[in-house]
Amino acid sequence: MSEKTASTKVLSRHSRALVEWAVGLTFEDLPGDVVDRTKDFFVDWLGCAIAGREHISVKSMVEYAKAMGPVSGNCELVGFPDFRTSPAFAALVNAASSHVVEQDDLHNSSMMHPATIVFPTALAVAREVGASGKDFITACVVGYEFTCRTGEFLGKAHYEKFHTTATTGIIGAAAIAAYLLRLHVDQFESAIGTAGTQASGLWQFLTDATHAKQVHTAHACAGGVFSAYVAKSGLLGSVEILEGTRGMAATLGSEDPQPKYLDDALGQKWSVLGSSFKWHASCRHTHPSVDALIGLMKDEKLNHRDIESITSHTYKAAINVLSLSAAGQTVHQSKFSMGFVLAVAAKYGMARISDFTEDALLDSELRDLQSRVSMVLDPTIDAVFPEKWLGRLIVTTRDGRTLTRGVDVVKGDPEWPLTRGEIQSKAISLGKYGHVQDLDVFKRTIGRVWDLESQSPLDIFSFA
Amino acid sequence: MSEKTASTKVLSRHSRALVEWAVGLTFEDLPGDVVDRTKDFFVDWLGCAIAGREHISVKSMVEYAKAMGPVSGNCELVGFPDFRTSPAFAALVNAASSHVVEQDDLHNSSMMHPATIVFPTALAVAREVGASGKDFITACVVGYEFTCRTGEFLGKAHYEKFHTTATTGIIGAAAIAAYLLRLHVDQFESAIGTAGTQASGLWQFLTDATHAKQVHTAHACAGGVFSAYVAKSGLLGSVEILEGTRGMAATLGSEDPQPKYLDDALGQKWSVLGSSFKWHASCRHTHPSVDALIGLMKDEKLNHRDIESITSHTYKAAINVLSLSAAGQTVHQSKFSMGFVLAVAAKYGMARISDFTEDALLDSELRDLQSRVSMVLDPTIDAVFPEKWLGRLIVTTRDGRTLTRGVDVVKGDPEWPLTRGEIQSKAISLGKYGHVQDLDVFKRTIGRVWDLESQSPLDIFSFA
């Protein structure tokens, strides 16, 4: 049964330009800082994946992989050294585990978390095809461009309805797999089309602290792998899934999609350089307020008991997302409660992963201060979001003062990235959280990442 | 790492009532006509799956299953006798193959195709767990209720944006797998929640005749299987994914969602009895007009050359969907072109699968008549859609007459179902189309379906 497609005269489209650029990209095209930052985020991601491996959502997906997948394979699950599988299942599980502890990177202007999509997919497919370290890095850079640019294109109205990490994630995962499978331009575009029509991810989980966040990244990565493999076998995906009249922007809540973001300054503006490390262990929307509070308390020599109230001036997307978890009933929700997070930061001077625990949920001092935190929409701050994630606090003190502090840049932002020492230290701390048995082996693995481009084929996973 | 969910005081909700009903349902609760109709649709579905097996979208998924899945398993791919796999991959492929030739059933009031979701999922999981024929049938009935009721709940505004077969399909597939895995009520609801947050399916493919339709059903079934299995292992899905403030109805374009449809008259009103067989091989939206035209031409003794013009009065959803493929450039699109389909019906007195071919696309007589067909929105017809799929034609003749014909019921509708003889004859004709090697074996398989409830465990797939 042969079947032609409709005449698809391909016009000059922004998404097509992005695909054509990706197909032609080689490691030699990448500036040194792009290569370095990609490796930085890979180390950061490894820590996140290890830290999340004991979560029930991850364990349940490992069981699923064992029930549905092959009994052996080329692809590792981070933190599960006794099991290898096929790329789809490896991408599925690693995507879930690296999106558990709220410590993975965040790309500001696209409002999505790239690493939890990029590295699971690239690692799985690279291992399957025996790709070199250089090709792996290049595929990751392609993944950053597709996820982040799609997020910028879809915009903040889309983000208000959909978990953008999921919806742009499947696009990025398809692009990574398509790159590593060496699809030609039309096949690559088919992969993007097949991915886009499977884009999904609702915010409902924030209201009841269930595990869709991990399902979203898992589906995005596994679905992206699927989309590229079937494209290679001839399945045709829509050529205009992003910009088309019945495509993603038109259907999934975008209000003013900007196709120009898809191919703006390709090869000059690198999305991986626009992503932020997370230093605090809470939702990224809380970070400007956290940094403002810590700075203000330090300068004013305040103790958390000195604080009468805190008003966080922020942007609409933060209020939308954080309001869904405002009560902070669970550990996960507490990282999404502005009040609880600021209470933690006030009490401990930081907001580490070890500060969000079942015990902390029962800390009446934290709960009391939480109740005296409010958020207000600040039109000035909202106007520049998501290009800038600004924050401004007004703190009243028990002794009657009113203090104000704003921040433009938070620690971990592209303008203030973590050092390699900080990155390694954060990863090791996450490794401890995830009960890595032999930290020295983990450290040696990290050491090998810094020299990733010398490996051919890629083979770093001796640590377990 | 233990994690609680937010306090989920479960209110009396319609979706919860549906889950509770499904968990308690047994074969003995099913009226005889429900059992019989389910078997009828199963035979009808077998023909569809065989007929679609040679399509490139299906072959590419078989390759994917071989690359990613296990090398052996309990679950058959219809039409691929040399390969068995795990439930996720069997559901994936069989869902794709049974949604190729536009001959699978259609449930009017939900605007979705249940069989292509229900049978792939139920067959795969039933075979994996060794379910009896009775449990298989009951699981299929559960699948009809979840898919169809979710479609009625989401409504026609949702259908205008999303391919409802896909979005409700993943809900139904999760319910089927949850039923066969014997999940308790909370786990079952988690499965539905995890499925719903992965609901996707855009109409973009209609504009360029690409293969998303098969991707949609494949993803729905495989995603539903995933959702139930991980729910059994403890992954928590949102409890209000259908009705919640950030759930499917709220986010995916519903304008007036009616939760009452989810549990209205459970055990009295059976969705499987509301589904329609497709007699013509074109999009179901064309069938009222096709039947009107055939009836009118017969009564007036018209030849297709007697027709000057045809105006099809129809509802908005038909115009929306059919307009996307109006030119009918490919065989698949031609089944979605009202003009082309009516031209075929006028010329041949029917619209069989063998009438839509590459040669037909080049038939100038068909193309000429196609150009003289138009659709107009009829507010009276639109007002009762989707409860009724009515049609009315105005035909002008070369000799100057203006003739009108309306239809209330089309052949295959619940009010005018196919006989078992017609069902079997249609399935065999589809089997021939799919190049079944030994039709006698296929006929014997059909014979075994009529006695399905006597099998324990289910085992009908000796035909190949």
Side-chain angles (χ1 to χ4, degrees):
Chain A
M1 190 188 322
S2 76
E3 189 188 347
K4 293 178 191 161
T5 54
S7 166
T8 49
K9 179 162 166 32
V10 177
L11 305 171
S12 169
R13 282 178 292 98
H14 296 276
S15 62
R16 178 80 175 186
L18 177 58
V19 167
E20 288 173 351
W21 174 82
V23 168
L25 190 71
T26 66
F27 182 80
E28 286 65 37
D29 298 322
L30 308 180
D33 56 347
V34 168
V35 173
D36 286 343
R37 190 65 60 82
T38 303
K39 293 188 290 185
D40 291 350
F41 279 123
F42 185 41
V43 168
D44 196 58
W45 172 84
L46 275 174
C48 293
I50 282 285
R53 67 172 172 165
E54 294 174 5
H55 193 265
I56 185 69
S57 66
V58 180
K59 287 180 174 174
S60 65
M61 289 194 210
V62 173
E63 284 188 41
Y64 179 76
K66 289 181 176 175
M68 297 294 160
V71 292
S72 64
N74 297 314
C75 309
E76 304 90 342
L77 310 184
V78 177
F80 297 88
D82 60 341
F83 179 50
R84 291 194 177 201
T85 181
S86 66
F89 290 100
L92 182 96
V93 173
N94 290 334
S97 61
S98 56
H99 206 44
V100 166
V101 295
E102 297 296 329
Q103 289 275 271
D104 51 315
D105 75 334
L106 183 281
H107 185 264
N108 293 15
S109 56
S110 65
M111 296 154 286
M112 68 84 59
H113 298 279
T116 189
I117 299 299
V118 166
F119 297 111
T121 313
L123 189 60
V125 182
R127 293 286 284 147
E128 179 74 1
V129 303
S132 67
K134 287 182 178 177
D135 281 347
F136 170 77
I137 291 169
T138 314
C140 293
V141 170
V142 165
Y144 269 87
E145 296 303 339
F146 274 80
T147 52
C148 299
R149 288 171 180 271
T150 301
E152 292 169 334
F153 160 66
L154 293 171
K156 58 183 171 179
H158 170 78
Y159 176 77
E160 286 179 20
K161 293 195 161 189
F162 292 90
H163 185 199
T164 301
T165 299
T167 55
T168 69
I170 197 166
I171 298 291
I176 290 164
Y179 181 83
L180 288 167
L181 291 174
R182 305 205 178 283
L183 301 192
H184 61 59
V185 170
D186 286 343
Q187 289 173 330
F188 198 121
E189 194 159 43
S190 266
I192 300 301
T194 295
T197 202
Q198 297 178 79
S200 58
L202 304 174
W203 285 120
Q204 184 65 22
F205 74 92
L206 285 181
T207 69
D208 56 14
T210 46
H211 303 150
K213 203 168 192 195
Q214 289 80 48
V215 171
H216 292 170
T217 52
H219 165 55
C221 292
V225 169
F226 166 84
S227 302
Y229 272 82
V230 294
K232 186 164 187 174
S233 301
L235 188 144
L236 298 171
S238 295
V239 297
E240 290 199 297
I241 202 66
L242 292 167
E243 311 103 314
T245 53
R246 296 305 189 104
M248 288 177 70
T251 309
L252 304 181
S254 292
E255 283 174 6
D256 184 25
Q258 296 287 334
K260 67 180 181 192
Y261 286 134
L262 294 171
D263 65 338
D264 176 44
L266 278 170
Q268 294 158 40
K269 202 184 83 177
W270 298 90
S271 295
V272 70
L273 298 180
S275 200
S276 301
F277 297 92
K278 281 177 83 170
W279 189 238
H280 308 300
S282 55
C283 175
R284 180 61 178 75
H285 291 311
T286 66
H287 290 207
S289 298
V290 170
D291 273 3
L293 182 64
I294 292 171
L296 184 144
M297 289 178 68
K298 188 175 171 193
D299 290 351
E300 301 287 341
K301 298 189 172 43
L302 294 180
N303 180 290
H304 65 285
R305 295 194 183 89
D306 301 327
I307 295 172
E308 178 61 36
S309 74
I310 304 173
T311 306
S312 164
H313 287 241
T314 187
Y315 42 86
K316 187 178 167 202
I319 293 173
N320 283 348
V321 169
L322 300 175
S323 296
L324 296 172
S325 306
Q329 289 180 279
T330 71
V331 169
H332 185 259
Q333 280 189 322
S334 72
K335 299 174 186 174
F336 283 77
S337 160
M338 180 71 89
F340 193 84
V341 171
L342 290 185
V344 165
K347 183 167 179 175
Y348 299 113
M350 50 208 307
R352 296 161 300 197
I353 191 167
S354 53
D355 295 325
F356 296 89
T357 62
E358 295 291 338
D359 285 345
L361 297 181
L362 302 172
D363 181 335
S364 59
E365 207 168 43
L366 291 177
R367 291 302 196 180
D368 179 50
L369 182 49
Q370 174 188 359
S371 72
R372 289 179 275 115
V373 175
S374 56
M375 287 188 288
V376 297
L377 177 64
D378 186 314
T380 313
I381 289 174
D382 193 55
V384 297
F385 179 86
E387 283 69 35
K388 290 178 181 295
W389 294 42
L390 306 181
R392 195 161 66 86
L393 283 191
I394 298 175
V395 175
T396 63
T397 61
R398 291 258 152 105
D399 60 7
R401 287 178 290 162
T402 299
L403 308 167
T404 300
R405 172 69 67 113
V407 296
D408 291 349
V409 174
V410 304
K411 185 174 175 73
D413 267 0
E415 301 83 353
W416 187 10
L418 305 189
T419 65
R420 286 221 159 153
E422 288 170 331
I423 292 164
Q424 179 150 336
S425 145
K426 177 185 165 191
I428 289 167
S429 142
L430 290 168
K432 285 180 191 165
Y433 185 85
H435 304 114
V436 164
Q437 289 190 328
D438 190 335
L439 282 174
D440 287 334
V441 177
F442 185 46
K443 285 177 194 168
R444 282 200 295 276
T445 301
I446 292 173
R448 298 186 70 196
V449 174
W450 304 134
D451 190 34
L452 204 56
E453 60 268 47
S454 71
Q455 292 186 23
S456 187
L458 178 75
D459 182 19
I460 59 150
F461 266 83
S462 50
F463 80 98
Chain B
M1 191 187 321
S2 76
E3 189 187 348
K4 294 176 191 161
T5 53
S7 167
T8 48
K9 180 162 166 32
V10 177
L11 304 171
S12 169
R13 282 176 293 99
H14 297 275
S15 61
R16 178 81 174 185
L18 177 58
V19 167
E20 288 173 351
W21 174 81
V23 168
L25 190 71
T26 67
F27 181 80
E28 286 64 38
D29 298 323
L30 307 180
D33 56 347
V34 169
V35 173
D36 286 343
R37 191 65 60 82
T38 303
K39 293 187 290 186
D40 291 350
F41 280 123
F42 185 40
V43 168
D44 197 58
W45 172 84
L46 275 175
C48 293
I50 283 285
R53 68 172 171 165
E54 294 174 5
H55 192 265
I56 185 69
S57 66
V58 180
K59 288 181 174 175
S60 65
M61 289 194 212
V62 173
E63 283 189 42
Y64 179 76
K66 290 182 176 175
M68 296 295 159
V71 293
S72 63
N74 296 315
C75 309
E76 304 90 343
L77 310 184
V78 176
F80 297 88
D82 60 342
F83 179 50
R84 290 195 176 200
T85 181
S86 66
F89 291 101
L92 183 97
V93 173
N94 289 336
S97 60
S98 55
H99 206 44
V100 167
V101 296
E102 298 294 327
Q103 288 276 271
D104 50 317
D105 75 333
L106 185 279
H107 185 265
N108 293 16
S109 56
S110 65
M111 298 154 286
M112 67 85 58
H113 298 278
T116 189
I117 300 298
V118 166
F119 297 110
T121 312
L123 188 60
V125 181
R127 293 287 285 148
E128 178 74 1
V129 304
S132 67
K134 287 181 178 176
D135 282 347
F136 169 77
I137 291 169
T138 316
C140 293
V141 170
V142 166
Y144 269 88
E145 296 303 337
F146 274 80
T147 51
C148 298
R149 287 171 181 270
T150 301
E152 290 169 336
F153 160 66
L154 293 172
K156 58 182 170 179
H158 171 78
Y159 177 77
E160 286 179 19
K161 293 194 159 188
F162 292 90
H163 185 200
T164 301
T165 299
T167 56
T168 70
I170 196 166
I171 298 291
I176 290 164
Y179 180 83
L180 287 168
L181 292 174
R182 303 205 179 285
L183 301 192
H184 62 61
V185 170
D186 286 343
Q187 290 173 329
F188 199 121
E189 195 159 41
S190 265
I192 301 299
T194 295
T197 202
Q198 296 178 81
S200 58
L202 304 175
W203 285 120
Q204 184 65 24
F205 74 92
L206 285 181
T207 69
D208 56 14
T210 47
H211 304 148
K213 203 167 193 195
Q214 290 80 47
V215 171
H216 292 170
T217 53
H219 165 56
C221 293
V225 169
F226 166 85
S227 301
Y229 271 82
V230 295
K232 186 165 189 175
S233 301
L235 188 145
L236 298 170
S238 295
V239 297
E240 290 197 297
I241 203 66
L242 292 167
E243 312 101 315
T245 53
R246 296 306 187 103
M248 287 177 72
T251 309
L252 303 182
S254 292
E255 282 174 8
D256 184 25
Q258 296 287 335
K260 68 180 180 193
Y261 287 134
L262 294 172
D263 66 338
D264 176 44
L266 279 170
Q268 293 159 41
K269 202 184 83 178
W270 298 91
S271 294
V272 70
L273 298 180
S275 200
S276 301
F277 296 92
K278 283 178 82 170
W279 189 238
H280 307 300
S282 54
C283 176
R284 180 62 178 74
H285 291 310
T286 65
H287 290 206
S289 298
V290 170
D291 273 3
L293 182 63
I294 292 170
L296 184 143
M297 289 178 68
K298 188 175 172 192
D299 290 352
E300 301 287 340
K301 299 188 171 45
L302 293 179
N303 181 288
H304 64 285
R305 295 196 183 89
D306 301 327
I307 295 172
E308 176 63 34
S309 74
I310 304 173
T311 305
S312 163
H313 286 241
T314 186
Y315 42 85
K316 187 178 165 202
I319 293 173
N320 283 348
V321 168
L322 300 176
S323 296
L324 295 173
S325 305
Q329 288 181 282
T330 71
V331 168
H332 185 260
Q333 280 188 324
S334 73
K335 299 173 186 174
F336 283 77
S337 161
M338 180 70 91
F340 193 84
V341 170
L342 291 185
V344 165
K347 183 166 180 175
Y348 299 113
M350 52 207 307
R352 296 161 298 196
I353 191 166
S354 52
D355 295 324
F356 295 89
T357 60
E358 295 291 339
D359 285 345
L361 298 182
L362 301 173
D363 181 335
S364 58
E365 208 168 42
L366 292 176
R367 292 302 196 180
D368 178 51
L369 182 50
Q370 174 187 359
S371 71
R372 287 179 276 115
V373 174
S374 55
M375 288 188 287
V376 296
L377 176 64
D378 185 314
T380 312
I381 289 173
D382 193 55
V384 298
F385 179 85
E387 284 68 35
K388 290 179 181 294
W389 295 41
L390 307 180
R392 195 161 65 87
L393 283 191
I394 299 177
V395 174
T396 63
T397 61
R398 291 259 152 103
D399 60 6
R401 286 177 291 160
T402 298
L403 308 166
T404 300
R405 171 68 67 110
V407 296
D408 291 349
V409 174
V410 305
K411 185 174 175 73
D413 266 0
E415 300 84 354
W416 186 11
L418 305 189
T419 65
R420 286 221 161 155
E422 288 170 331
I423 292 166
Q424 179 152 333
S425 144
K426 177 185 163 190
I428 290 168
S429 140
L430 290 169
K432 285 181 192 163
Y433 184 85
H435 302 115
V436 164
Q437 288 190 328
D438 189 335
L439 282 174
D440 286 333
V441 177
F442 185 46
K443 284 177 194 168
R444 281 200 295 277
T445 300
I446 292 172
R448 299 186 69 196
V449 173
W450 304 134
D451 189 34
L452 203 56
E453 59 269 46
S454 72
Q455 293 188 22
S456 187
L458 177 76
D459 181 20
I460 59 151
F461 267 84
S462 49
F463 80 97

